[in-house]
Amino acid sequence: MAVSAGFAGPRLGNLMPRDSPACSPSMSFAPARSLKRMGRERRNGGGGVRCEVTTAKEDPKLMELSSVSALEQLKASALDRYTKERSSIVVIGLSVHTTPVEMREKLAIPEAEWPRAIEELCRLNHIEEAAVLSTCNRTEIYAVALSQHRGVKEVTEWMSKTSGIPVSVLCQHRFLLYNNDAAQHLFEVSSGLDSLVLGEGQILAQVKQVVKVGQGVVGFGRSISGLFKHAISVGKRVRTETNIASGAVSISSAAVELALMKIPESSHATARMLVIGAGKMGKLVIKHLVAKGCTKMVVVNRSEERVAAIGEELRGVEITYKPLTEMLSCAAEADVIFTSTASEAPLFLKEHVQNLPPVGQEVGGLRLFIDISVPRNVSPCAVDARGAKVYNVDDLTEVVAANKEDRLHKAMEAQTIIAEETKQFEAWRDSLETVPTIKKLRAYAERIRIAELEKCLSKLGDDLPKKTKRAVDDLSRSIVNKLLHGPMQHLRCDGDDGRTLSETLENMHALNRIFSLDTDVQLMEQKIKAKIEQSQK
């Protein structure tokens, strides 16, 4: 189905990393490479980008750095870049909108392999957290990266290694989105706005599965977990408030919906269904019947192989194969008949339809023929046959067109919801910035408390009763907790109120300055050190 550019496929804005691959040499932990080639990006007068490379011979400071440890080299070359902005959420994706099926097949990651993939991704030097969303229509890697460019480069190389597709080919088909754009994209995916069939519901279940599989996996961290959980809430809200999934938007789904509309709801589970033809359209009819709760049907086809393949794909459904020579006898035992063959001559003439035995009142008293073939499989003369009601593809196209138009209108409503939810997620993520400050401030106060407590106890002597020591210790804890209560309250924010969030972040920066906590720098140093130690194991 063709959907307007506002709703189908990833947005194409902000697709290139801030630090262009052409101008940012890859970071290496080897001293010679990391110190002799340190690129600095500068914008020239024409708006382009040029690279200036400084060698160790030209700069005495670099000569001095050449003797320091790998950690110090890394900090010298990258820490300034990292501490200017927090870690980024990135999505590296290849979907049905950008990538042919033969590539998607190679990129597909089975659900059982998702935990292993997350762990491998998080062992990359610049990836902190990760998640995998892999379906028949897409393979998307979501990651929290210490550096946008380097993180994207590492993930792309990992995808190339696991799929066997060259990086150059992946780069031709992938799309890249960062932070709010990445969050908005996932919210659109979970809402069914990025699907081939606008508003389809299966993708929401697949997003839920990402969270289920990710629980307990090292690397499915707070930010990525929070993003996917928020996406589930957004998908549910869009479907509830817009009802975007209602109404068939394909001929095959419209055929099934029409059939179920024409027979009493009480007989939906018991009506005898017959599908004639197991080609593309016939297979879709079968799938839509299964989606509506039909678990038993007869399929007439020239060969049994296609029917058997469909049965293998749809486990738990009773599909009985019958050859084309038994078509009329099968029709005599069916309440609803779907026809979708490539036959150029009608399969059912008026006399065929009239000679079939009547159906029971429990299914409405009329046998339904729903003919979605062109040329028609049911003769036009059969429209007047007694005991039957015949519908053809023209009866369905208007319904499909109306439903598509309705879904596009609902998609516009959904975008308003998604924009609102994206802002809420951004606020929640901003609120996480205060967590390291809270930890640092409490650790700072605890160090002072313990040092002063030890001084006090040493002055009171070694023969001090345990009860007294415990009372002094409790007193010092109580004083510290009461002193910290005010600052801690001003560092806590759920992210729902933009004004409160702004004030909270101002308080965070003020406390960092007042107590010299240097949260961002120290935290980033810890992350970089951990990554280096991990890579050296």
Side-chain angles (χ1 to χ4, degrees), residues 278-312:
K280 181 179 179 182
M281 294 295 285
K283 182 178 179 180
L284 288 172
V285 167
I286 294 169
K287 285 188 171 183
H288 287 299
L289 282 171
V290 172
K292 293 294 184 179
C294 179
T295 58
K296 184 177 180 180
M297 67 193 75
V298 176
V299 179
V300 170
N301 197 54
R302 292 184 185 279
S303 63
E304 187 175 2
E305 288 77 12
R306 282 188 176 181
V307 180
I310 295 172
E312 284 292 318

Side-chain angles (χ1 to χ4, degrees), residues 453 456-474:
L453 177 64
C456 174
L457 293 177
S458 65
K459 290 178 181 178
L460 293 175
D462 296 334
D463 57 347
L464 197 67
K466 288 184 178 180
K467 185 176 181 180
T468 303
K469 289 182 179 180
R470 194 159 48 246
V472 175
D473 182 68
D474 290 343

Side-chain angles (χ1 to χ4, degrees), residues 6 82 89 104 140 171 182 201 287 296 343 388 412 450 473 510 516:
Y82 289 163
I89 293 179
R104 298 203 310 276
E140 297 177 353
C171 290
K287 285 188 171 183
K296 184 177 180 180
S343 174
M412 294 176 68
I450 291 174
D473 182 68
S516 302

Side-chain angles (χ1 to χ4, degrees), residues 290-463:
V290 172
K292 293 294 184 179
C294 179
T295 58
K296 184 177 180 180
M297 67 193 75
V298 176
V299 179
V300 170
N301 197 54
R302 292 184 185 279
S303 63
E304 187 175 2
E305 288 77 12
R306 282 188 176 181
V307 180
I310 295 172
E312 284 292 318
E313 186 176 338
L314 302 174
R315 298 283 186 175
V317 180
E318 185 181 336
I319 299 177
T320 303
Y321 163 75
K322 293 292 183 180
L324 201 56
T325 54
E326 298 183 28
M327 180 187 72
L328 289 177
S329 60
C330 291
E333 298 177 359
D335 300 314
V336 181
I337 301 169
F338 300 91
T339 62
S340 61
T341 77
S343 174
E344 295 186 3
L347 300 179
F348 289 93
L349 302 176
K350 184 175 183 178
E351 55 267 30
H352 294 148
V353 175
Q354 287 182 334
N355 290 335
L356 294 174
V359 299
Q361 289 300 319
E362 67 275 8
V363 291
L366 290 175
R367 179 176 280 105
L368 297 182
F369 283 84
I370 301 179
D371 183 5
I372 57 175
S373 303
V374 180
R376 285 175 283 182
N377 289 165
V378 182
S379 171
C381 299
V383 172
D384 300 325
R386 63 181 179 273
K389 183 66 176 176
V390 180
Y391 297 93
N392 61 45
V393 71
D394 285 348
D395 298 317
L396 304 174
T397 51
E398 288 187 15
V399 175
V400 170
N403 285 337
K404 283 183 180 179
E405 186 66 30
D406 184 50
R407 287 201 183 189
L408 285 172
H409 178 72
K410 290 173 179 175
M412 294 176 68
E413 297 176 10
Q415 287 289 0
T416 302
I417 294 173
I418 288 171
E420 177 186 322
E421 294 285 352
T422 302
K423 287 183 180 179
Q424 288 187 13
F425 176 75
E426 179 186 12
W428 173 80
R429 192 161 175 254
D430 284 342
S431 71
L432 296 182
E433 285 192 40
T434 65
V435 173
T437 298
I438 291 173
K439 291 180 178 179
K440 290 284 184 181
L441 182 58
R442 184 164 288 282
Y444 172 80
E446 183 66 8
R447 286 195 299 272
I448 294 175
R449 185 190 74 82
I450 291 174
E452 294 304 315
L453 177 64
E454 289 176 351
K455 286 182 185 178
C456 174
L457 293 177
S458 65
K459 290 178 181 178
L460 293 175
D462 296 334
D463 57 347

